[in-house]
């Protein structure tokens, strides 16, 4: 899938919403309408907008219309949550940054079907994001006998973001929990005859912007070089290993954030259960060096690992094998057992990291 920038993504979203043909949502079927655009090029993917499915996504032409295979209801929730997550991530992109929009391939569906359920902490954070910064507010689900329209767009996006069931009970329970913990408030509480409407409190806004502190975390913060040369190590090795071990990988370049990125990094490391730190780095031209290249260590990666250790967080180290063989990592971390990996053999990294997580993280 071709990477695009934030402006291109939101322009595609606008086009589908304004000019798309109204169809049944391919994920949630006839109960929920969606918009769809398909060009005359039959090999081009179909673009959909569905708030219940999490926003904008594409389905490749190789999957015929109406033939998408989702094994069960839980997978629909995982898929919708993933689409919402990828949509929101575009808001965090800076100038000159690109990302891949969500494409619902057969491979993606299989991987999402095995994705663990969101933890309560993750659902809370996504719920806060879905409600949004004040003065925005979100209506609770109306009673079935109220005669009102069951859900509006914001409510459907909330369901997708937080993996809530259709029907209102789970959504309203989550909103009540946000209220009871002081993260949100019912702005209509003086009029009990109306449907509750929730807005974030200062406490909720602070958690939204800084990450807050998790009570029990199932996230693993990943510190590494964000470059195409190590993308397969993450996509085929690190990320699936963390998920298979029952944790959620957290890479700062793949999550939405507001405010200073440094603050968000610190907040996410504080909240993580453990860290995976890959020490692979890049080479730059240096005419004075014997090889014509000089190693440039990723200072931020070392800093993040040191910060995690200072907090008492377990750190699991990985590095490309040739870097280890030539002692290209700093001497003060060489005493740690580092998992080596090789290009083209990322599956070995996946297995080794999975076993290390299962052995060391309790």
């Amino acid at each position: 899938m071709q990477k695009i920038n934030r402006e291109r993504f939101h322009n595609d979203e606008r086009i589908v919403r304004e000019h798309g043909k109204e169809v049944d949502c391919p994920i949630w079927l006839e109960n929920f309408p969606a918009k769809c655009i398909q060009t005359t090029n039959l090999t081009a993917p179909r673009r959909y907008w569905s708030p219940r499915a999490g926003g904008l996504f594409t389905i490749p032409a190789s999957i015929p219309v109406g033939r998408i295979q989702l094994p069960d209801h839980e997978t629909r929730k995982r898929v919708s949550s993933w689409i919402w997550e990828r949509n929101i991530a575009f808001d965090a992109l800076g100038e000159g940054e690109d990302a891949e929009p969500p494409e619902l391939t057969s491979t993606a569906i299989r991987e999402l079907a095995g994705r663990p359920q969101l933890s309560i902490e993750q659902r809370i954070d996504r719920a806060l994001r879905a409600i949004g910064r004040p003065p925005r507010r979100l209506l609770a689900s109306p009673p079935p006998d109220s005669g009102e329209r069951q859900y509006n767009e914001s409510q459907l996006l909330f369901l997708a973001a937080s993996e809530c069931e259709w029907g209102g009970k789970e959504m309203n329970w989550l909103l009540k929990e946000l209220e009871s913990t002081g993260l949100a408030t019912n702005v209509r509480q003086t009029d009990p005859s109306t449907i509750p409407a929730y807005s974030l409190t200062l406490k909720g806004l602070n958690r939204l912007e800084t990450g807050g502190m998790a009570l029990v975390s199932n996230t693993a913060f990943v510190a590494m070089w964000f470059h195409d040369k190590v993308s397969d190590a993450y996509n085929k090795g690190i990320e699936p290993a963390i998920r298979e071990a029952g944790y959620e990988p957290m890479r700062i370049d793949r999550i939405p954030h507001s405010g200073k990125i440094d603050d968000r990094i610190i907040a996410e490391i504080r909240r993580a259960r453990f860290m995976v730190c890959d020490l692979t780095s890049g080479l730059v031209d240096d005419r004075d060096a014997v090889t014509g290249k000089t190693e440039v260590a990723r200072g931020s990666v070392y800093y993040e690992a040191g910060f995690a250790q200072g907090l008492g967080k377990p750190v699991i180290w990985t590095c490309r094998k040739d870097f280890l063989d030539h002692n290209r990592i700093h001497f003060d971390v060489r005493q740690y057992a580092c998992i080596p990996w090789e290009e083209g053999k990322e599956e070995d990294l996946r297995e080794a990291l999975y076993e290390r997580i299962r052995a060391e993280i309790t």
Side-chain angles (χ1 to χ4, degrees):
M1 189 70 180
Q2 181 184 7
K3 291 184 177 182
I4 60 176
N5 59 27
R6 179 175 56 190
E7 290 72 20
R8 168 69 184 279
F9 177 83
H10 287 305
N11 185 59
D12 288 351
E13 178 185 48
R14 178 187 59 80
I15 291 174
V16 176
R17 295 186 64 179
E18 293 180 0
H19 304 290
K21 176 184 177 182
E22 189 161 311
V23 297
D24 292 337
C25 176
I27 297 174
W28 292 95
L29 309 177
E30 67 274 2
N31 289 328
F32 300 94
K35 294 291 188 73
C36 175
I37 285 183
Q38 182 174 16
T39 66
T40 54
N41 180 2
L42 297 181
T43 63
R46 302 183 298 279
R47 292 184 293 172
Y48 290 89
W49 159 259
S50 167
R52 180 63 185 102
L56 183 71
F57 62 99
T58 64
I59 296 178
S62 58
I63 300 180
V65 176
R67 298 290 181 86
I68 187 170
Q69 298 295 319
L70 296 173
D72 51 40
H73 183 71
E74 289 300 312
T75 300
R76 289 189 172 90
K77 291 164 61 178
R78 305 290 188 278
V79 167
S80 300
S81 176
W82 174 75
I83 291 172
W84 176 89
E85 176 186 346
R86 296 292 293 273
N87 273 242
I88 291 296
F90 275 90
D91 290 334
L93 293 181
E95 188 69 28
E97 294 181 323
D98 299 328
E100 290 186 1
E103 184 175 33
L104 207 54
T105 63
S106 298
T107 300
I109 293 172
R110 285 196 301 271
E111 292 179 352
L112 291 167
R115 185 173 177 171
Q117 184 179 16
L118 293 177
S119 68
I120 292 297
E121 297 287 346
Q122 289 172 311
R123 296 179 73 186
I124 288 173
D125 287 335
R126 286 167 177 250
L128 296 177
R129 179 78 187 191
I131 296 173
R133 294 171 58 87
R136 284 197 58 199
R137 60 185 184 177
L138 181 82
L139 287 175
S141 175
D145 57 353
S146 66
E148 297 192 26
R149 182 181 177 183
Q150 187 70 6
Y151 288 98
N152 60 35
E153 181 180 296
S154 296
Q155 293 168 316
L156 292 174
L157 287 170
F158 182 94
L159 293 177
S162 56
E163 290 188 3
C164 279
E165 293 283 353
W166 164 256
K169 291 183 179 179
E170 194 171 9
M171 173 184 177
N172 290 346
W173 167 81
L174 183 54
L175 289 171
K176 281 289 187 183
E177 289 300 306
L178 294 181
E179 183 180 19
S180 66
T181 54
L183 297 172
T185 184
N186 175 15
V187 296
R188 292 180 173 177
Q189 57 185 328
T190 57
D191 187 355
S193 65
T194 60
I195 297 171
Y198 293 90
S199 182
L200 300 188
T201 62
L202 286 176
K203 181 180 178 181
L205 181 60
N206 179 68
R207 172 156 175 164
L208 173 65
E209 294 185 341
T210 67
M213 286 293 290
L215 298 177
V216 179
S217 175
N218 77 331
T219 64
F221 189 92
V222 180
M224 65 183 300
W225 183 24
F226 302 145
H227 195 279
D228 290 342
K229 290 184 178 180
V230 293
S231 60
D232 281 350
Y234 179 78
N235 294 328
K236 299 178 182 180
I238 296 173
E239 180 182 25
I242 293 173
R243 292 194 187 282
E244 287 174 14
Y247 296 92
E248 183 74 13
M250 174 65 66
R251 233 179 77 161
I252 199 64
D253 66 321
R254 299 194 176 188
I255 62 172
H257 58 83
S258 58
K260 290 178 62 180
I261 184 65
D262 293 345
D263 292 341
R264 187 60 188 267
I265 290 172
I266 295 302
E268 294 298 343
I269 293 175
R270 287 184 181 276
R271 301 184 65 222
R273 175 68 184 85
F274 65 98
M275 174 184 286
V276 174
C277 178
D278 186 80
L279 298 172
T280 310
S281 56
L283 299 171
V284 298
D285 293 330
D286 184 353
R287 62 184 181 182
D288 295 327
V290 175
T291 62
K293 298 284 185 179
T294 294
E295 178 69 24
V296 179
R298 313 305 299 179
S300 59
V301 172
Y302 282 89
Y303 170 80
E304 289 160 12
F307 183 73
Q309 286 190 315
L311 294 173
K313 306 278 186 181
V315 177
I316 298 177
W317 309 85
T318 66
C319 188
R320 205 170 67 196
K321 187 176 183 299
D322 60 310
F323 278 65
L324 291 176
D325 291 344
H326 294 88
N327 290 325
R328 289 176 175 170
I329 63 175
H330 280 232
F331 71 93
D332 50 357
V333 296
R334 291 175 191 165
Q335 72 269 29
Y336 298 113
C338 192
I339 300 174
W341 58 270
E342 299 179 65
E343 291 182 346
K345 297 182 179 180
E346 289 79 9
E347 182 63 30
D348 293 341
L349 169 61
R350 176 177 181 167
E351 294 178 5
L353 179 57
Y354 169 80
E355 293 298 335
R356 184 73 63 84
I357 294 172
R358 298 288 289 177
E360 296 188 5
I361 309 301
T362 57

